[in-house]
Amino acid sequence: MTGRTAGLTGTVALTRLALRRDRFTLSAWVLGLSAFMAGITAMSVSGLPTRQDVIEQTELMAGNAAMRMLGLASGASVGGYTLVRGYLTLAVLAALMSTFAVVRHTRQNEETGRADLVGATVVGRYAGLAAGVVVTVGANIALSALLGLAMIVNGQPVAGSVTAGASVGAVGIVFAGVAAVAVQLSSTTRGASGIASAVLGLAFLLSGVGNMLGRADASGLRVVSAWPSWVSPIGWGQQMRPFGGDRWWPLALFAVLFAVLLGLAGALVRRRDVGRGMLPERRGHAEAAPGLLSPFGLVWRLQRGALLAWAVGMLGFGLVLGAIGGEIADMNGSARDWYTRVGGTDRIVDAYRTSIIGMAGMAAAIYTVQILLRMHTEETEGRLEPVLATAVSRARWATGHIMNAVLGAAGLLLLFAVGMGVTAGRTLGGGVAAQLGDLTTAALAQLPGILVLGGVVVAVVGLLPRWAGPVSWTVLMASVLLGPLFGPSLKWPQWAQDLSPFTHTPKAPAAAITMAPVLTLLVAFTALAVVGIVTSRHRNLALPA
C-alpha cells in the first residue's frame, strides 16, 4: 500500500458513518431546495400564460441594471425567467449546504473530540476530509437531479432543466472544496464557516457586479456580462445559460477549481496538527467584558457576526429593490396581476411595496430560525453545560436567545425598509420621508408572523431536541410555500394557506394594520415560547455524542 493510498484508509467506513449522521439533515436540504424550485417554476408557469408576458418580463429584467444584479437574462422563456428569479437563492443555499456539511464532518469532529476517537482506529490522515467531501458531492449530485426533475414536471424542456440543475449543483460542489480549505485554516467551526461564507459573499458580489456592468444585446432579451462575473463560481453557473443555449463547457471551470481546492486542502492537512488550524488563534482578553456576564450579552457576542452579514445583505437588497420600483408603474400583463394579487390592492405601486416587504419578512424569518437553532447547537456541542453550572437558569439562557432573535429580526426589517425607502423615494415619488414612514411601519408589521416561526423553533428544541433542525426548517419552508407569495399561485386550498403565519400578516402599506391578527400571532408566539422553555427545564441535556 503506497503512502498516498494509506492516507485514505477507512474512507469508506467514515463515509457510511457520515451518511448515517446526515441522512435527515442533507435530505431536508435537498428536498427543501427541490420543493422551492418546483414552487417557483409552477408560479412562473401560471403567472406567465402567454409568450408576450414572457417577453415583457425578460425585457424588464435585461434592461434594468439593478434587476440584472439579481439574475442573468438569457432569452425569453418561462424556465429562464424562473432562474433569473430563483438562481441566486438556490446557488447560495447549495453553497451553504456544502459548507455546513464539510465543516460538520471535519472541523466539528476535531472540535468536539470525535476525531480523536476515530483517530485511535485504523484510519488514514485524509480519510475524514475525504468522507466529508464525498458525502457533500453526492448530496449536490442528487440536488442537481431533483432540481432538473422539478422543472421537467412543470412542463419545462428537458435539456434546459438538466442544465439548470447542474448549474446549481456545480456551485455547491465548488464550495465543498472551499470549505475543505477553510477547515484547514481555522481551528474552530465558527471560523471555518466564516471563511467559507466570506468567499461566498465575494462570489455573490462579483457575479452581481458583473451582470450590472453588462449590457443587453440587440434583442433586449439577453444580457452579456462584464468580466467580474467570469471570476465567480456563481457567475459561471449563470453563464451555463439554461434555456438560453445550454452551455456545458463552464463545468470545466468548476472541475478545475474544485480539483485545485482539494489539492490545497490535502497539502494543508499534512502541515497541521489535529485540532489546530493553519491560522494563528487570537488571544482573548484577560477579563470578560461586563456585557458577557448575562445570557443576553453572551448570545449577542456569539451572533453579532452573523447579524452583521445579514444586515449588509438586507440593506443592499432594500436599496436595489427600491431602485427598481420606478419600472413597476408601467408594468402590465400577468406580472401586474401577480403583484396586485399578492399585494391585495389594484394600486400597483402599493402592491409592489407590500409584496417586497413580504419577501423581506420571509428572509428575516430564515435569520430567526437560524439564530434560534443555535440553542440546540450550543447544547449538543457541550457549551451549554458549563453555562448552566453558574447561576444561570435554563429559562434565562433561553430568554437571552429569544430576545436577541426578536431584536435582530426587527433590526433587519428596519434596515431593509430604510434601504428601500431611500431609493424608492427617488424612483416611486412621494419623497424619502414619506416612503420611510410607510415602509418602516409595514416592515415591523411582519414581525409577529416571524416570531411565530421563532416560537416553533423554541418549542421543538424543548420537546424534540433531536429533530430540532429538520422540523424547524420544514415548518419554515412549508410556511413560505403556503403563504401569500406562493400559496395562491400554487392553488393551495384556503385552509392550507391559513396554516402559514405569513397569510395572517397585515398587508401594509397597501392596507391598514388591524390589531386582531397581530395580537393573535403574538399570543401564539408567546404560547410556543413558554412551551419550549418549560419543557426544556424538565428534560436532560443533549450532550455531545
Side-chain angles (χ1 to χ4, degrees):
M1 182 178 292
T2 65
R4 188 180 299 276
T5 305
L8 294 172
T9 300
T11 299
V12 175
L14 291 181
T15 301
R16 288 201 299 268
L17 176 63
L19 282 172
R20 178 169 176 76
R21 285 183 61 198
D22 263 357
R23 64 190 185 281
F24 296 118
T25 303
L26 282 180
S27 297
W29 272 98
V30 171
L31 294 176
L33 292 179
S34 302
F36 176 74
M37 174 65 98
I40 61 174
T41 307
M43 190 170 67
S44 299
V45 170
S46 64
L48 301 171
T50 67
R51 175 71 178 172
Q52 186 60 34
D53 289 330
V54 178
I55 292 174
E56 288 179 0
Q57 287 305 301
T58 305
E59 286 177 338
L60 175 64
M61 292 182 293
N64 188 292
M67 276 196 165
R68 288 202 295 269
M69 184 175 183
L70 303 178
L72 184 66
S74 299
S77 67
V78 174
Y81 172 82
T82 302
L83 287 179
V84 171
R85 301 298 295 266
Y87 174 81
L88 277 180
T89 301
L90 290 164
V92 168
L93 290 178
L96 290 176
M97 176 186 76
S98 298
T99 298
F100 296 153
V102 172
V103 171
R104 188 163 52 246
H105 293 295
T106 52
R107 176 53 60 189
Q108 189 185 76
N109 283 346
E110 297 184 28
E111 201 171 42
T112 58
R114 285 193 290 263
D116 294 331
L117 295 176
V118 173
T121 64
V122 182
V123 296
R125 184 189 296 268
Y126 310 105
L129 176 63
V133 171
V134 167
V135 169
T136 306
V137 170
N140 279 286
I141 292 173
L143 175 64
S144 300
L146 288 179
L147 290 179
L149 183 62
M151 302 196 81
I152 292 171
V153 298
N154 278 290
Q156 301 310 299
V158 174
S161 302
V162 173
T163 308
S167 67
V168 175
V171 174
I173 290 174
V174 159
F175 274 89
V178 171
V181 174
V183 297
Q184 314 308 322
L185 298 177
S186 176
S187 58
T188 65
T189 299
R190 194 190 310 275
S193 298
I195 292 172
S197 298
V199 176
L200 175 60
L202 181 62
F204 177 90
L205 183 64
L206 287 171
S207 68
V209 171
N211 292 339
M212 286 183 68
L213 296 178
R215 56 178 175 77
D217 67 4
S219 69
L221 299 172
R222 187 181 180 93
V223 173
V224 179
S225 302
W227 66 267
S229 180
W230 286 98
V231 293
S232 164
I234 293 178
W236 298 344
Q238 292 175 321
Q239 298 302 332
M240 289 179 69
R241 305 278 187 179
F243 307 100
D246 298 327
R247 297 171 174 168
W248 283 85
W249 63 262
L251 285 180
L253 300 175
F254 287 106
V256 170
L257 180 57
F258 181 61
V260 170
L261 291 169
L262 278 190
L264 178 59
L268 293 176
V269 166
R270 295 196 301 271
R271 289 169 170 77
R272 69 174 181 88
D273 295 328
V274 175
R276 307 301 295 264
M278 299 297 294
L279 297 178
E281 298 180 41
R282 291 188 304 172
R283 291 185 177 181
H285 296 288
E287 296 181 359
L292 292 176
L293 295 177
S294 69
F296 178 86
L298 176 61
V299 176
W300 163 254
R301 176 65 181 82
L302 293 174
Q303 74 163 14
R304 65 182 183 181
L307 180 60
L308 177 61
W310 273 90
V312 172
M314 291 289 278
L315 180 62
F317 274 111
L319 291 168
V320 171
L321 293 173
I324 64 178
E327 308 284 344
I328 300 302
D330 300 326
M331 181 176 289
N332 293 306
S334 59
R336 182 188 181 94
D337 295 340
W338 185 85
Y339 279 114
T340 56
R341 183 172 63 249
V342 171
T345 176
D346 293 334
R347 303 187 300 275
I348 183 61
V349 172
D350 286 344
Y352 172 76
R353 295 191 304 170
T354 300
S355 60
I356 295 302
I357 286 292
M359 294 179 191
M362 293 178 186
I366 296 174
Y367 164 81
T368 304
V369 170
Q370 178 191 24
I371 292 303
L372 286 175
L373 278 176
R374 289 194 64 84
M375 297 170 61
H376 179 60
T377 305
E378 294 294 303
E379 181 179 348
T380 55
E381 295 185 356
R383 291 190 286 269
L384 172 59
E385 191 176 16
V387 173
L388 297 182
T390 65
V392 175
S393 66
R394 289 199 193 186
R396 281 188 64 202
W397 172 77
T399 304
H401 279 272
I402 294 170
M403 290 176 63
N404 270 278
V406 172
L407 294 176
L412 292 180
L413 290 171
L414 288 175
L415 275 176
F416 183 87
V418 168
M420 188 174 175
V422 168
T423 49
R426 301 170 63 88
T427 58
L428 293 177
V432 173
Q435 290 286 348
L436 282 178
D438 290 347
L439 292 172
T440 299
T441 304
L444 291 179
Q446 298 291 320
L447 193 57
I450 296 169
L451 294 185
V452 171
L453 292 172
V456 169
V457 177
V458 177
V460 174
V461 169
L463 289 167
L464 302 167
R466 184 178 178 186
W467 298 91
V471 172
S472 299
W473 289 117
T474 300
V475 170
L476 173 63
M477 184 62 70
S479 299
V480 171
L481 293 178
L482 294 172
L485 292 184
F486 295 94
S489 299
L490 297 175
K491 295 183 172 52
W492 296 113
Q494 188 58 47
W495 66 264
Q497 296 182 43
D498 288 341
L499 295 177
S500 170
F502 297 120
T503 301
H504 308 285
T505 300
K507 291 184 177 298
I513 298 174
T514 54
M515 292 308 296
V518 172
L519 293 176
T520 302
L521 291 170
L522 290 177
V523 169
F525 158 65
T526 304
L528 289 165
V530 169
V531 167
I533 293 173
V534 171
T535 52
S536 66
R537 294 179 59 193
H538 292 85
R539 65 169 175 78
N540 294 328
L541 290 180
L543 298 177

